[in-house]
Amino acid sequence: MAALPKRIIKETERLVSDPVPGITAIPSEENLRYFEVTIEGPSSSPYAEGEFKLELYLPDDYPMCAPKVRFLTRIYHPNIDKLGRICLDVLKDNWSPALQIRTVLLSIQALLGAPNPDDPLANDVAEDWKKDEKRAIEVAREWTAKYAVKS
Amino acid sequence: MGNVPAKESPPNSGGRSRSSTYSGSGGGPFGPNGSSSSARRNTTSSAYHQSGGFLNGIANANDKRSKKTEEKDRLHRKHLLGLIVRYTENVDGGYLAPFGTYKSNLDYNCDIVRGLIMKRRLAPFYTPLQDFDESWTNEELIVILNQLPLHSIETAYSNEEEEDDIDNHKIHKSTNFYRRQEQKAKLKELMLQMKQIQKEEENKYLEIKSSSSVGQRSVELSSNDLLLRLYRNATECPICFLYYPENMNISRCCLQPICTECFVQIKRLDAHPPHDEEHNSRTNNDSEDLPHTLISEPAHCPYCASSEFGVTYEPSLDICTGFGGIKPGKFRSVDESNDDAIASSSTSPSPVSPRKAVKPRRKSSLAINTPGVISIDMIRPDWEAKLASARNKLARKAATASAIHASNLIMNADEDSYSPSDSRRNVGSSALSNVEQRMIEEALRLSLLDEEERRAKERREERK
């Protein structure tokens, strides 16, 4: 395996030295491109009090292409599907090499605070969300209490 | 594409293999060469066999093709040679080819970029410092700078597998596909040669460095004054996080710095349908999308996301070495006191030398068409050709899809009209010949499209 680019080393160092509140990202010992991530649900959202586990992988072309991120913890959210895949512009076409692991994770945290049922990934959840938002938020809260338990 | 995340979990496999699972667009659980795809391939090829005349046509075209491939190989070789860093080709203490921070699958136009650097309209490819600390003394800095290699050979020419063939998941496997497989082997060989050439350049550089340290330093090498002038205030590029001479390219829109190595990495996204609702409207209609509606958008600024990314560069007028200037070894700082500081082995970081020729740096953003702005499209003028070929590809795909769709309809109609009488058999055979006819037509159409594309390419190459 080719040597790790300086950028990845520096980003990792800076994640440790200057961590983002409510977010942790720890590189795997076997593969320094693979991170175990936790994100706390934003306090004003139905995901508050929850701690969500994610995985993040930096592909070979990083930072010229976006990191691959996926939820491992189950979550009830119109833009996150059963497999944990995330529908977020900066993870796709709107990726910019000036973004970083840190900024991507912050964007995901922000997505938890601002679900967008009009651009859904989990169609069933988005339907529920549009039909009865109150109920959907309730379910999201239940799921958070059930699955996103702080370890 | 549902398979992708499921494969994300084991963190222990090597970097390359992991990323190939990630980038595998829809290879399915069988992998790109899985049984499902090969089965599909057979259906298409049988369509070809039914049209013998078409195959003969291909044979005739083969001669022309081999010539075309030769020409292509020649151009490719030339392109790769343009990516070799040579210490003799320098401008203001930098070089005409990238250091190799990124893998060397660079597709920018080398002639254009080399020209822009020589005209000092784009910053040269400087050798980056992996780390930098302002508290380093001049001497420490010089020692580090003199140890830098010309090129990061191992990263740029790492022997790992190239990306999976982008056509691997397609139903219609053109003859191009098989040719590409062949070319992959050729490419590997070519890359090995390039690696060798770069190694030789590196050795020449080492040789001249070691021989000059004894007595006189070669004038072909940057003088210590030049190195200090460039790197004393090294600045981090916000994209690769490496340190470069502070006079970097500046984005036209938001005045952010970017090193040339990162700049040449920025490119247009692949051609795509005008609306980005790909995931929720992938219906049959979509796959038969009108190919001419595919669009390709100019690259966005990585910093402020403005459309049509471009940069400007203002050369430092006091250092004009290499092409169009004095020998890099002849450069001396004009500031006497600064010279003394170097000579009298200072132990503390010397004060920043007063900048000569301090020019007013640009303070406002510029339009993309302002003279002096270098855009991504300028260094990759082939984007239009690429868009055209993407449209052709989609057209072919749509044609294949509709052919299959049509033949399925006929089969179904056949089953629906099931009756115990003889008429059924008649309907069946006529339907079958109908399908055959359609497939031949389709094959012809595809070959015409191929031909069209080939001609377009020829024309393009002639223009060069």
Side-chain angles (χ1 to χ4, degrees):
Chain A
M1 189 180 161
L4 213 56
K6 198 73 192 173
R7 157 138 181 181
I8 296 181
I9 297 172
K10 286 188 185 171
E11 269 200 68
T12 310
E13 283 169 2
R14 288 171 201 180
L15 277 169
V16 174
S17 67
D18 180 19
V20 195
I23 293 175
T24 65
I26 300 159
S28 145
E29 276 173 28
E30 292 127 359
N31 185 346
L32 295 170
R33 287 175 176 270
Y34 180 90
F35 291 74
E36 285 169 22
V37 175
T38 65
I39 294 180
E40 280 174 24
S43 54
S44 55
S45 73
Y47 312 100
E49 305 291 310
E51 187 185 79
F52 296 88
K53 285 196 178 61
L54 296 88
E55 58 179 9
L56 180 147
Y57 179 73
L58 304 174
D60 255 14
D61 293 339
Y62 181 81
M64 290 307 152
C65 68
K68 313 282 177 187
V69 198
R70 176 172 91 98
F71 272 84
L72 296 174
T73 308
R74 289 195 70 183
I75 181 166
Y76 191 78
H77 190 291
N79 310 108
I80 300 161
D81 75 1
K82 263 186 215 145
L83 296 171
R85 294 178 298 184
I86 306 162
C87 178
L88 186 61
D89 59 347
V90 293
L91 292 177
K92 293 179 182 149
D93 288 357
N94 282 348
W95 167 254
S96 146
L99 294 170
Q100 300 180 20
I101 299 174
R102 163 190 307 272
T103 38
V104 160
L105 294 181
L106 278 169
S107 301
I108 294 172
Q109 196 179 37
L111 183 69
L112 295 187
N116 178 9
D118 293 322
D119 184 18
L121 190 61
N123 280 318
D124 47 339
V125 178
E127 290 283 298
D128 292 353
W129 216 276
K130 280 196 219 163
K131 256 189 264 160
D132 185 355
E133 192 176 331
K134 255 190 197 156
R135 172 78 196 120
I137 286 174
E138 202 43 53
V139 176
R141 205 167 271 136
E142 281 164 22
W143 282 39
T144 304
K146 196 166 160 195
Y147 301 112
V149 189
K150 277 187 195 172
S151 46
Chain B
M1 301 208 219
N3 62 315
V4 177
K7 292 194 173 180
E8 286 183 6
S9 16
N12 46 357
S13 46
R16 190 58 226 179
S17 66
R18 285 193 59 86
S19 91
S20 67
T21 40
Y22 278 103
S23 59
S25 42
F30 306 105
N33 290 319
S35 52
S36 67
S37 65
S38 66
R40 278 196 215 138
R41 184 166 59 224
N42 287 339
T43 51
T44 15
S45 64
S46 72
Y48 279 110
H49 289 307
Q50 292 181 5
S51 55
F54 172 64
L55 281 180
N56 288 338
I58 282 188
N60 285 339
N62 266 349
D63 271 359
K64 279 186 194 167
R65 276 226 168 106
S66 69
K67 257 187 199 153
K68 189 180 127 196
T69 348
E70 262 172 44
E71 176 63 8
K72 232 183 178 174
D73 287 351
R74 199 184 59 79
L75 284 174
H76 189 208
R77 199 182 162 80
K78 182 169 164 275
H79 170 76
L80 290 175
L81 283 171
L83 295 174
I84 300 284
V85 188
R86 302 169 204 273
Y87 77 90
T88 45
E89 297 179 336
N90 59 72
V91 170
D92 300 351
Y95 303 101
L96 300 187
F99 175 73
T101 303
Y102 300 100
K103 274 190 138 194
S104 61
N105 50 359
L106 287 161
D107 58 354
Y108 68 82
N109 184 310
C110 286
D111 291 341
I112 292 177
V113 168
R114 290 165 71 93
L116 288 171
I117 291 174
M118 286 195 268
K119 284 184 212 141
R120 293 171 170 79
R121 291 180 61 194
L122 195 63
F125 291 101
Y126 284 108
T127 310
L129 274 170
Q130 301 287 312
D131 289 290
F132 178 74
D133 193 327
E134 280 175 20
S135 69
W136 289 344
T137 64
N138 285 344
E139 279 164 328
E140 284 168 331
L141 191 55
I142 288 288
V143 169
I144 293 168
L145 288 169
N146 277 320
Q147 282 170 351
L148 291 178
L150 268 184
H151 186 92
S152 160
I153 294 183
E154 290 313 322
T155 324
Y157 295 104
S158 61
N159 264 338
E160 287 157 75
E161 275 282 288
E162 280 287 299
E163 301 246 323
D164 286 339
D165 197 295
I166 43 158
D167 275 0
N168 245 345
H169 64 286
K170 287 197 177 165
I171 295 171
H172 167 69
K173 297 226 170 167
S174 57
T175 42
N176 281 328
F177 171 79
Y178 300 101
R179 231 182 304 143
R180 264 201 299 272
Q181 296 285 83
E182 242 172 67
Q183 279 181 348
K184 243 187 204 172
K186 233 196 276 174
L187 180 73
K188 224 179 183 178
E189 171 62 27
L190 194 57
M191 290 315 260
L192 276 178
Q193 286 177 25
M194 291 305 140
K195 193 173 174 179
Q196 198 50 42
I197 294 174
Q198 183 65 68
K199 259 189 192 150
E200 280 159 21
E201 284 300 321
E202 193 74 55
N203 286 339
K204 279 189 224 161
Y205 181 60
L206 279 176
E207 225 166 82
I208 196 166
K209 264 202 290 195
S210 59
S211 66
S212 56
S213 63
V214 185
Q216 283 282 320
R217 193 184 167 88
S218 165
V219 288
E220 299 292 344
L221 298 174
S222 299
S223 66
N224 284 349
D225 276 15
L226 179 56
L227 290 176
L228 277 182
R229 164 69 180 81
L230 290 170
Y231 290 92
R232 183 66 263 180
N233 296 301
T235 314
E236 193 183 56
C237 167
I239 290 180
C240 57
F241 289 16
L242 299 175
Y243 294 90
Y244 289 93
E246 63 180 329
N247 190 10
M248 274 191 251
N249 308 300
I250 304 291
S251 68
R252 68 164 185 93
C253 37
C254 54
L255 304 157
Q256 289 295 306
I258 183 170
C259 71
T260 305
E261 189 128 7
C262 288
F263 177 70
V264 298
Q265 286 283 330
I266 310 281
K267 49 185 97 169
R268 284 176 172 247
L269 289 177
D270 293 336
H272 56 88
H275 300 294
D276 42 276
E277 293 166 26
E278 288 125 307
H279 21 245
N280 40 24
S281 61
R282 193 167 287 142
T283 59
N284 225 357
N285 273 342
D286 236 26
S287 67
E288 287 166 22
D289 223 354
L290 299 172
H292 62 265
T293 61
L294 276 190
I295 53 160
S296 165
E297 284 169 300
H300 294 269
C301 167
Y303 304 112
C304 69
S306 310
S307 182
E308 304 197 88
F309 181 50
V311 296
T312 62
Y313 173 67
E314 296 173 32
S316 311
L317 295 176
D318 60 323
I319 36 168
C320 189
T321 65
F323 283 101
I326 57 166
K327 293 274 183 198
K330 295 229 162 110
F331 178 86
R332 294 285 171 273
S333 295
V334 203
D335 193 339
E336 294 267 311
S337 62
N338 199 33
D339 265 358
D340 289 344
I342 301 160
S344 65
S345 62
S346 59
T347 41
S348 65
S350 79
V352 174
S353 61
R355 205 50 33 72
K356 298 290 141 191
V358 187
K359 292 168 283 89
R361 274 283 182 83
R362 185 159 59 86
K363 290 263 158 52
S364 60
S365 50
L366 296 172
I368 184 72
N369 51 11
T370 316
V373 171
I374 310 297
S375 72
I376 291 298
D377 288 345
M378 278 168 81
I379 64 165
R380 271 192 207 83
D382 59 344
W383 69 270
E384 276 177 300
K386 277 192 178 149
L387 176 59
S389 97
R391 283 177 178 167
N392 269 343
K393 256 185 195 165
L394 184 66
R396 266 195 308 252
K397 203 171 84 179
T400 318
S402 47
I404 292 170
H405 185 63
S407 64
N408 278 346
L409 275 185
I410 294 164
M411 301 287 198
N412 286 345
D414 186 18
E415 306 237 310
D416 288 346
S417 67
Y418 175 83
S419 71
S421 75
D422 285 346
S423 67
R424 185 207 150 220
R425 218 165 290 145
N426 285 338
V427 170
S429 66
S430 80
L432 268 182
S433 69
N434 208 345
V435 171
E436 210 166 301
Q437 184 61 33
R438 269 170 172 279
M439 284 191 159
I440 293 169
E441 278 169 19
E442 203 43 49
L444 280 173
R445 226 176 72 78
L446 293 178
S447 91
L448 284 176
L449 273 172
D450 259 333
E451 178 66 11
E452 222 170 83
E453 192 183 345
R454 193 186 62 80
R455 277 202 201 130
K457 256 190 206 154
E458 261 182 9
R459 252 176 277 136
R460 239 177 284 132
E461 265 153 32
E462 270 166 31
R463 247 183 279 150
K464 270 177 198 167

